[in-house]
Amino acid sequence: MAAGCKDEVSKNPKPQVSDYPRNETLYIGGFDWAPPTTFNPLDPDPNFPSDGNIRLMYESLLAYNQLTGNLDPMLADSYSQTDSSITVHLDTRAKWNNGEPVTPEDVIYSFRIDSILPTSHHNNWKHIKTISADSENHITFHLAANRNPLMVLNAITETSILPKSVFEPLIKSAKTGKTYNMEKILIFKNENKPIASGPYILKNYAPDQIVLERVENYWRTSKYGGKKPAPKYIIHPIYDGNDNFNNAMVRGNLDVSSIYLPRIWEKTKDSIRAWSRVEPYHLPSTITALVIATTKEPFNNVNFRRALAHAIDFEKIKARAVSNYTPPIQPGFILPFGPEKKYFYKEDADEFGYGYNTEKAREILAEAGFSWNEEGKLLDKKKKPVRSLSIECPQGWTDWIEAINVIIESFEEIGITAVPKIVDYGIWDMDLRRGTFDLAMKTPPSENSIANPWNRFYQMLNSTASKPVGEESYANQGRFQDDEINQLLNDIPTISDEDSLTQAYRELNKLFMQTVPVLPLMYRPATFYQFSTKHWTNFPTEENPYAPPNNLIVATGVSALWEIVPVKPQGNQ
């Protein structure tokens, strides 16, 4: 994930202590890797804190809470839904940092941007028919004919609300006829006193760091009893690799980091810990899996896929690839803990699932007509050697590469030869989209979302969103086809009765385990979360879960900024 332009990046940036007192400054790392170039939220890859679901500068209407599975207030203070619409109430206190109110017009225009420009949220408009507002700050999202309230709720939580006064003139200036020149829009770097609604604003930046400053008149302080966020400054240093981020943690130069830090139990002596003090240390919320090219030989044979599922040594992946930062993997595509636990049935996993069992894998293959030669290599039904398989992932993703090494060793035990295919990120991404791979690592989707587990299944299995091999597809990249699964994926978003919803998910997960269209390998956090208590304390933890482990910057995790405490008392608050 490291970006280019590393020549100007300091391996050890030294903050100006006089400008940023340590007991007023929180150092966060792992969200930017190269010298910053733009803070325009319409850019495909803007710098911290304008990217993704970071809510320090730009806020959303609602925010997903990983701990509860609920949507918490942000710019909106409540929401309701019917069969045909979702209505939010924009908090009447909401203001931009220039003192102007955040209005329904700002909200509607922010969503309209995604309908007219090729942004990362453009596809949300497949699910939204129109958006309207009334004079009492109610904003209603009317669902499109292909009714999917899950994806509309997800859009409401992931869309940054932008000031119309800033972005409407910019976008109008880029319009030519019915089209928009994105290059003109992206010239705007948004680096000089951005107008935003969040608790922090961009102060300055350099090749080696990004500095945010607290908004002293932030509109939500009343929610926190009039308190301001504890850090006056938030600084994101720019390092050029995982090792340098991790070394900064050990030295106390970083307070919070999202970088994979191996063997965290050894870092207690350095005042570093994660969400939990015991395995799996981090709070998992996603599933990293092997995408299978199901239209290719030999993967188009369901028994071959089932044999692969029994062949993999999942415990070895857990230990070698991710320092035991994952609970033992269970069959299926539903998390057996957290908000999704109510949809997981252990008895179904035992009956229809799989686990590491080499003999069972061989038995399945033999019953399906496969055999082995004298050297122990697998032969197909025509007694020809099964071809070598490739397993693909991006360069530098060391935990995934180690998982691939374990899988290769596992396959060898049942006579299958596999080789790693470690490529540039762009090549891996393009191979997935075009379907030109055998097996490829992927985490679908990578963000916590109220739309899960439905969205996880949809991204990987929905054949209506798929394309033939060779054409680019952003969903179902394994090109899997199953009419029953498609029907369940179509039905689930519209089911309001909880018992019926639970039964639908149960059927979906059973079909998944029986057909093995994807091979789940490990549970992972959306982002790793570890913190140092050398300069700040009272971080959210498993023992003190007052906020989710979102690095104090993502979604509802920002509430932790009001609760952390400097080790050296501050004298100016």
Side-chain angles (χ1 to χ4, degrees):
M1 292 175 63
C5 305
K6 296 177 183 174
D7 53 321
E8 298 180 49
V9 181
S10 169
K11 294 186 178 182
N12 186 18
K14 293 179 170 52
Q16 298 177 30
V17 177
S18 59
D19 289 344
Y20 309 115
R22 195 62 179 88
N23 64 343
E24 295 183 341
T25 307
L26 185 75
Y27 286 84
I28 286 179
F31 295 89
D32 248 318
W33 298 73
T37 58
T38 183
F39 301 91
N40 183 346
L42 301 183
D43 192 277
D45 188 22
N47 289 103
F48 171 91
S50 297
D51 54 333
N53 207 14
I54 296 172
R55 296 301 171 212
L56 297 175
M57 198 157 80
Y58 293 109
E59 297 178 297
S60 54
L61 291 166
L62 301 167
Y64 180 70
N65 188 323
Q66 178 188 355
L67 297 178
T68 64
N70 297 329
L71 297 183
D72 291 349
M74 192 160 268
L75 282 168
D77 53 21
S78 63
Y79 79 98
S80 61
Q81 62 185 103
T82 69
D83 287 344
S84 60
S85 64
I86 297 170
T87 299
V88 302
H89 182 260
L90 179 63
D91 196 315
T92 55
R93 300 168 297 177
K95 287 184 171 57
W96 302 110
N97 54 18
N98 64 359
E100 294 294 318
V102 179
T103 67
E105 288 75 24
D106 291 313
V107 173
I108 292 173
Y109 190 74
S110 297
F111 280 87
R112 182 169 181 268
I113 289 172
D114 291 325
S115 74
I116 62 177
L117 298 181
T119 66
S120 59
H121 299 153
H122 182 75
N123 284 336
N124 287 337
W125 279 86
K126 290 180 178 178
H127 311 291
I128 299 171
K129 182 179 179 182
T130 58
I131 306 175
S132 61
D134 65 17
S135 60
E136 297 182 344
N137 269 24
H138 291 101
I139 302 162
T140 299
F141 296 79
H142 304 273
L143 305 184
N146 60 336
R147 199 161 55 89
N148 192 324
L150 281 178
M151 289 307 290
V152 175
L153 285 171
N154 193 57
I156 289 170
T157 65
E158 71 179 11
T159 301
S160 297
I161 304 305
L162 309 176
K164 183 179 179 182
S165 62
V166 173
F167 287 91
E168 185 179 41
L170 172 69
I171 292 171
K172 279 186 175 179
S173 70
K175 187 174 183 180
T176 304
K178 294 183 179 181
T179 63
Y180 295 85
N181 186 333
M182 282 301 293
E183 289 184 7
K184 286 187 177 180
I185 293 171
L186 299 183
I187 288 172
F188 176 57
K189 302 304 179 186
N190 198 31
E191 58 191 354
N192 297 316
K193 298 180 180 179
I195 296 175
S197 66
Y200 288 82
I201 199 67
L202 179 67
K203 179 177 175 63
N204 60 58
Y205 67 98
D208 61 357
Q209 67 179 19
I210 299 166
V211 181
L212 309 183
E213 186 172 20
R214 186 174 61 203
V215 174
E216 298 299 324
N217 61 341
Y218 176 55
W219 68 274
R220 289 182 84 205
T221 53
S222 58
K223 177 185 183 296
Y224 301 99
K227 286 172 55 181
K228 300 174 184 177
K232 184 174 182 180
Y233 305 101
I234 294 178
I235 296 181
H236 190 303
I238 308 297
Y239 297 105
D240 64 353
N242 279 18
D243 288 346
N244 291 318
F245 276 107
N246 290 338
N247 289 337
M249 279 293 288
V250 171
R251 293 193 302 267
N253 291 346
L254 274 185
D255 301 308
V256 185
S257 173
S258 67
I259 298 299
Y260 171 67
L261 179 62
R263 300 179 301 281
I264 198 161
W265 58 87
E266 297 177 356
K267 306 301 187 292
T268 304
K269 66 182 184 334
D270 300 308
S271 303
I272 296 170
R273 61 161 292 187
W275 173 255
S276 176
R277 294 187 184 276
V278 297
E279 287 185 16
Y281 302 102
H282 298 273
L283 186 62
S285 59
T286 61
I287 303 176
T288 296
L290 270 185
V291 186
I292 303 173
T294 59
T295 61
K296 288 184 180 181
E297 289 277 4
F299 306 111
N300 57 356
N301 184 325
V302 65
N303 291 306
F304 185 82
R305 300 197 301 267
R306 285 191 60 79
L308 295 185
H310 282 284
I312 296 174
D313 191 338
F314 298 104
E315 278 297 310
K316 194 177 285 187
I317 289 176
K318 177 176 177 287
R320 275 175 46 181
V322 286
S323 291
N324 292 309
Y325 294 170
T326 174
I329 191 81
Q330 296 291 326
F333 220 29
I334 293 176
L335 296 173
F337 42 76
E340 295 181 29
K341 182 179 180 180
K342 59 189 174 184
Y343 304 129
F344 178 83
Y345 284 82
K346 183 67 166 64
E347 56 266 40
D348 292 344
D350 292 340
E351 182 177 355
F352 302 104
Y354 40 80
Y356 176 50
N357 186 331
T358 301
E359 290 308 311
K360 180 66 175 176
R362 286 178 168 272
E363 179 183 317
I364 292 171
L365 289 169
E367 289 178 356
F370 290 86
S371 59
W372 290 264
N373 64 16
E374 293 179 356
E375 288 80 34
K377 296 298 183 182
L378 187 66
L379 306 176
D380 63 19
K381 294 177 184 179
K382 297 178 181 178
K383 304 303 178 184
K384 293 182 178 180
V386 171
R387 67 178 178 84
S388 176
L389 314 178
S390 66
I391 310 177
E392 190 166 345
C393 89
Q395 293 174 355
W397 294 27
T398 54
D399 49 339
W400 282 16
I401 292 171
E402 188 56 33
I404 288 174
N405 291 336
V406 172
I407 294 165
I408 289 171
E409 294 169 11
S410 297
F411 287 176
E412 191 173 352
E413 292 184 18
I414 59 170
I416 295 173
T417 299
V419 295
K421 186 177 179 183
I422 313 304
V423 296
D424 178 78
Y425 177 92
I427 294 174
W428 165 79
D429 186 48
M430 184 59 70
D431 286 348
L432 272 168
R433 280 185 272 151
R434 290 178 176 168
T436 53
F437 62 92
D438 285 342
L439 300 163
M441 301 284 287
K442 185 179 174 72
T443 302
S446 57
E447 292 282 351
N448 298 322
S449 167
I450 195 169
N452 283 334
W454 177 86
N455 197 26
R456 185 182 306 122
F457 283 101
Y458 180 84
Q459 284 198 19
M460 302 305 289
L461 307 182
N462 175 41
S463 59
T464 62
S466 185
K467 303 282 182 64
V469 172
E471 295 183 24
E472 291 190 30
S473 177
Y474 290 86
N476 191 7
Q477 293 164 331
R479 275 66 177 175
F480 179 72
Q481 302 282 336
D482 187 285
D483 290 341
E484 284 186 80
I485 286 177
N486 282 337
Q487 189 60 52
L488 284 165
L489 289 173
N490 186 64
D491 293 344
I492 283 173
T494 65
I495 299 174
S496 55
D497 176 71
E498 192 62 33
D499 289 341
S500 300
L501 182 62
T502 300
Q503 187 59 33
Y505 272 125
R506 185 175 187 178
E507 290 303 313
L508 180 60
N509 209 34
K510 282 197 288 188
L511 286 168
F512 178 90
M513 290 184 284
Q514 290 170 311
T515 56
V516 197
V518 175
L519 265 171
L521 298 175
M522 64 185 101
Y523 305 124
R524 297 287 297 271
T527 55
F528 288 106
Y529 163 67
Q530 48 262 322
F531 56 87
S532 165
T533 55
K534 286 182 179 177
H535 300 285
W536 293 87
T537 61
N538 199 40
F539 291 93
T541 63
E542 184 178 49
E543 311 93 78
N544 186 23
Y546 66 84
N550 295 148
N551 294 288
L552 287 71
I553 65 172
V554 171
T556 55
V558 296
S559 60
L561 292 166
W562 277 261
E563 302 297 332
I564 59 172
V565 178
V567 172
K568 283 183 66 178
Q570 298 180 23
N572 62 345
Q573 284 195 9

